[in-house]
Amino acid sequence: VDEELTMDFVFAPPPASSVAVYGDTRRFPVRRIFCVGRNYAAHAREMGRDPEREPPFFFMKPADAVVDSGAVVPYPAQTENLHHEIELVVALKKGGANVTPEGARDLVFGYGVGIDLTRRDLQLQARDAGRPWDWGKGFDFSAPCAPLHRIEETGWLQSGRIWLSVDGVTRQDADISQLIWNVAEVISAISQSMRVEAGDLIFTGTPEGVGALAPGAEVRGGIDRLGEIALTIGPPASR
Ligand code: MN
C-alpha cells in the first residue's frame, strides 16, 4: 500500500451503497440517485399539472436510500400517505458533461426496475409551499431497486410494459415508450447542469396510477426484459 494514498478517517466510513447486478455476484456501487419529476403525461395530469409545457426537472435521493428487491420496507415516519411510483432506472458506468443524447448511450451500464417511494402528503405540502421536496422523497428505504440488467443483454430499451400491483391488484400499467423525455434525453439534460458520473442511478419517472400503500402491502412490479421487483411494506420503524 502506498502510504501517500492511505487516508485516515476519524471513524470508519460507511459501506458503499450498491445494487445487485443480474447474473453477477458483484454489485453496482451507487454514487447518486437522480429522479425525474412528472415524465409521463397521464401522471403529470393526475398530479394536477400540464405535461405539455415543462422541460424536465429533477430531484435527488441519498445513495443509501437504495434497497434490494425482496426487502421489507418499514412504513416511514411522519406520513399517512406513502405512495408507490414504479420507474425505469438507468445506471451509468461512465461520467460526462454536456453530453448529447446520442453520446449519452455510451454512459449506460444498464437498466433496472425501481420504485420511487414517496411520502405524498409531505411532498405536496412542500410543493404547495414552494419548499424543497426532499422530506417527501429522500427518506430511508425510499429507493428500492431490482437487480440491474446490462445494456449488452437488453439492448437499448425504447418500449416495454411497465406495471405495478399491490396485493395482486394492478395499479400502474403503461409503456416506457410513453416517457416524455427518453433515457438519452434525460442523461443529456442532467449533464448540461452538472457532471454525471459512474455509479449514478436515474429514476426516470412514473406513469399514472400512483396510490397509497398500507403496512402489510405486498408490492410487485416489472418492466419487460428487466424482470420484477417485490417489496413488503412493514410496520412503522422503531427509532
Ligand atoms: Mn417518481
Side-chain angles (χ1 to χ4, degrees):
V1 176
D2 185 338
E3 292 288 335
E4 300 277 334
L5 296 176
T6 303
M7 189 111 50
D8 279 332
F9 296 98
V10 294
F11 56 85
S17 297
S18 64
V19 179
V21 177
Y22 181 79
D24 200 324
T25 56
R26 297 169 299 171
R27 293 175 64 88
F28 178 91
V30 177
R31 180 181 175 117
R32 292 174 294 189
I33 303 174
F34 293 95
C35 302
V36 187
R38 298 194 284 269
N39 201 15
Y40 288 81
H43 172 63
R45 285 187 207 101
E46 78 180 348
M47 297 303 293
R49 289 295 187 265
D50 177 358
E52 311 304 330
R53 290 202 217 143
E54 287 189 310
F57 71 95
F58 304 92
F59 59 91
M60 299 182 77
K61 297 182 186 240
D64 64 3
V66 286
V67 193
D68 284 333
S69 181
V72 176
V73 171
Y75 195 90
Q78 297 189 329
T79 185
E80 292 173 3
N81 201 15
L82 175 67
H83 270 208
H84 55 79
E85 298 191 353
I86 188 77
E87 308 206 356
L88 171 66
V89 176
V90 180
L92 301 189
K93 66 184 174 192
K94 263 171 69 178
N98 300 312
V99 298
T100 62
E102 298 71 37
R105 293 180 176 226
D106 295 335
L107 310 186
V108 173
F109 172 82
Y111 302 100
V113 182
I115 302 177
D116 167 13
L117 289 174
T118 300
R119 295 193 283 204
R120 189 72 73 201
D121 39 5
L122 298 192
Q123 183 211 1
L124 294 184
Q125 286 163 20
R127 185 188 80 179
D128 295 344
R131 291 176 180 160
W133 285 14
D134 304 41
W135 252 225
K137 289 290 196 177
F139 50 95
D140 297 340
F141 306 101
S142 61
C145 189
L148 300 174
H149 289 248
R150 292 170 184 272
I151 190 104
E152 294 84 358
E153 172 206 333
T154 62
W156 190 251
L157 291 186
Q158 308 269 33
S159 63
R161 182 181 179 224
I162 179 170
W163 60 275
L164 179 140
S165 70
V166 180
D167 298 329
V169 179
T170 302
R171 294 265 193 97
Q172 296 186 268
D173 197 350
D175 195 284
I176 58 170
S177 63
Q178 296 164 332
L179 282 165
I180 295 171
W181 300 95
N182 68 33
V183 164
E185 290 168 333
V186 164
I187 296 168
S188 175
I190 296 170
S191 79
Q192 308 306 314
S193 188
M194 64 185 87
R195 279 189 62 86
V196 293
E197 298 289 356
D200 289 342
L201 295 180
I202 305 168
F203 281 60
T204 58
T206 197
E208 70 275 22
V210 300
L213 296 169
E218 297 288 344
V219 184
R220 299 187 73 84
I223 298 173
D224 284 350
R225 288 186 277 171
L226 301 181
E228 295 190 4
I229 188 169
L231 288 182
T232 302
I233 305 301
S238 52
R239 272 175 300 274

